[in-house]
Amino acid sequence: MAEFGFNEHHQNEVINYMRFARSKRALRLKTIDSCFQDLKESRLVEETFTADEVTEMLEGLRVVVRGEVETELINTAHTNVLLLRQLFSQAEKFYLRLQTDISELENRELLEQVAEFEKAEFKSSGRKANQETSKPKLAPLNEAGVSELLNKEISRLQEENDKLKSRLRAVESQAMSALEEKSKVEKTLKELQKIQGEQQEISSLEDTVAALQADFQKSLSDSTASQKNLQDNLVEAKHELLRVQEQLALTEKELEKKFQQTAAYRNMKEMLSKKNEQIKEIRKRLQKYEPDE
C-alpha cells in the first residue's frame, strides 16, 4: 500500500476494512449460491420442463438474486457512510475539514492497485478470506502531530494578537499625546496673536506720542512762557514711554520662556492696561498745555 502514501497504522486500518468487506462479500456469495441450490432441490426434480416453466423458474431466481445483490449494495453504501462518519468526526475534533474526490473512485489504475494489494495481502495461508475479525475503533489522530501543530498555531496567533493589541495601545497613546500637543500649540498661538495685537496697539501709541511731540515742539515755539513746563512734561512722557517699552520687552521675553503660563499672561495684560491708562492720563495732561485756537 506504499503506492498510496499510507503509514503503517493507516495501512493496518485499510487491511482491517478490506478483511471486513471480504467477509461480508463471502457471506453474500454464499447466500446467492444457496438461492441456486434451493432452486435445484425444489424445482429441478423432473426430467423435462416446458418453456413457460423454465421462464418462471428463471424469473423467480432473478428476483431473489436481484434482491440479494441490491441489499448488499445498499448495505455496502451505508457501511461506507458510517466509515466516513468516523473519519469526519475525528477530523472535526481537531477543526480539520476533509475533502473527497468522487472521480477518483472510478480510477481504473487505482482500482487495479487496490486489487493487487488485496490479492497480495490475503494470499498467504495464514490469512483466511472469510475470517471475521473484530472492528477496532479508529484511533484518534496523534496528539503529538496535528494537535501539537494546531496548538502551536493557536499560540502563535494569540502572540500576534497580543502584539497587535500592544501596538494599538501605543498608537492610541501617541495619538492622544499628539492631540494634547496640538491643543497646547493652538493655545500658545492664540496668546501670541493677542500679544501681536497689543504690540500693534503700542506701535499706534508710539505714533500718537510722536505726533504729540511734534505738537509740543510747535507749541513751545509759539509760547516761550510755557516752554519749560512743556519740555518737562515731554521729558517725563518720554521717560514713561521708555519705561513702558522696557517693561513690555521684559514681558515679551517672559512670555517667550513661559508661554504656557496663563496667570503670567493675565498679569502682563493688566500691567499693559494700567500703562495704557497712564498714557491716556499723560495725553490728557499734555492737552492742557496746548494753546486754544
Side-chain angles (χ1 to χ4, degrees):
M1 210 62 176
E3 299 86 354
F4 301 103
F6 289 168
N7 56 30
E8 183 178 358
H9 172 76
H10 290 161
Q11 180 168 320
N12 291 332
E13 293 297 328
V14 171
I15 292 173
N16 289 334
Y17 177 75
M18 294 181 70
R19 184 177 292 114
F20 166 77
R22 284 170 63 89
S23 64
K24 299 295 288 184
R25 185 168 66 245
L27 181 61
R28 190 59 58 183
L29 290 175
K30 288 182 178 179
T31 303
I32 294 176
D33 291 340
S34 298
C35 293
F36 282 89
Q37 186 64 30
D38 290 342
L39 178 65
K40 292 179 181 179
E41 294 177 356
S42 62
R43 299 295 302 274
L44 301 181
V45 293
E46 300 179 6
E47 295 181 358
T48 59
F49 295 93
T50 65
D52 293 337
E53 290 175 340
V54 173
T55 302
E56 180 185 356
M57 287 187 292
L58 292 177
E59 181 63 21
L61 181 61
R62 183 190 68 80
V63 171
V64 174
V65 173
R66 185 180 187 279
E68 291 292 335
V69 173
E70 183 180 10
T71 300
E72 178 61 19
L73 291 175
I74 294 174
N75 184 67
T76 300
H78 293 173
T79 303
N80 291 334
V81 171
L82 292 179
L83 180 62
L84 291 174
R85 177 179 176 273
Q86 295 183 45
L87 296 176
F88 292 158
S89 297
Q90 291 187 28
E92 289 176 359
K93 290 181 180 179
F94 297 94
Y95 304 98
L96 300 177
R97 300 179 64 180
L98 303 182
Q99 293 182 345
T100 58
D101 188 356
I102 303 301
S103 62
E104 289 294 322
L105 299 179
E106 297 181 353
N107 189 320
R108 300 305 305 173
E109 182 179 354
L110 294 178
L111 290 174
E112 291 176 0
Q113 291 180 10
V114 173
E116 291 295 329
F117 171 77
E118 182 180 10
K119 184 185 299 184
E121 185 66 27
F122 295 95
K123 185 177 181 180
S124 61
S125 58
R127 292 185 178 132
K128 297 180 181 180
N130 58 351
Q131 181 181 2
E132 284 288 338
T133 59
S134 60
K135 298 180 290 182
K137 295 183 179 179
L138 292 176
L141 295 177
N142 189 1
E143 182 66 20
V146 178
S147 180
E148 182 178 357
L149 293 176
L150 289 174
N151 291 331
K152 289 182 178 180
E153 182 66 14
I154 291 173
S155 300
R156 185 184 67 81
L157 293 175
Q158 289 178 346
E159 183 178 356
E160 290 184 358
N161 189 30
D162 294 338
K163 290 181 180 179
L164 290 175
K165 288 181 179 179
S166 178
R167 289 177 58 187
L168 179 60
R169 287 193 294 267
V171 171
E172 289 177 349
S173 178
Q174 293 177 358
M176 294 298 296
S177 300
L179 290 175
E180 292 178 358
E181 187 67 22
K182 179 182 178 183
S183 178
K184 292 179 180 179
V185 171
E186 290 177 349
K187 184 178 180 180
T188 303
L189 180 60
K190 291 180 180 179
E191 293 178 353
L192 291 176
Q193 289 176 349
K194 289 181 180 180
I195 294 174
Q196 289 178 355
E198 293 174 356
Q199 287 178 345
Q200 292 177 356
E201 292 179 359
I202 296 297
S203 178
S204 178
L205 180 59
E206 290 176 349
D207 295 339
T208 302
V209 172
L212 289 174
Q213 185 179 1
D215 293 338
F216 292 157
Q217 293 293 338
K218 187 176 181 180
S219 298
L220 289 173
S221 63
D222 295 338
S223 177
T224 305
S226 60
Q227 182 176 2
K228 188 177 183 302
N229 292 330
L230 291 174
Q231 186 66 33
D232 293 339
N233 291 333
L234 180 60
V235 171
E236 183 180 355
K238 287 182 178 180
H239 290 170
E240 186 69 20
L241 177 61
L242 291 175
R243 188 166 65 84
V244 171
Q245 290 177 342
E246 183 179 1
Q247 291 178 353
L248 177 62
L250 292 175
T251 303
E252 289 179 352
K253 291 180 180 179
E254 186 67 21
L255 285 174
E256 290 177 354
K257 294 179 181 179
K258 301 179 179 180
F259 60 86
Q260 295 180 352
Q261 298 179 0
T262 307
Y265 174 74
R266 287 199 298 265
N267 293 334
M268 184 205 69
K269 187 173 182 181
E270 292 177 0
M271 185 182 296
L272 290 176
S273 178
K274 291 179 180 180
K275 297 308 175 183
N276 288 335
E277 293 296 331
Q278 292 177 1
I279 292 173
K280 290 181 181 179
E281 184 65 26
I282 292 171
R283 184 186 300 173
K284 291 179 181 180
R285 292 170 58 186
L286 292 176
Q287 288 178 353
K288 294 180 180 180
Y289 297 98
E290 293 180 359
D292 296 332
E293 294 182 357

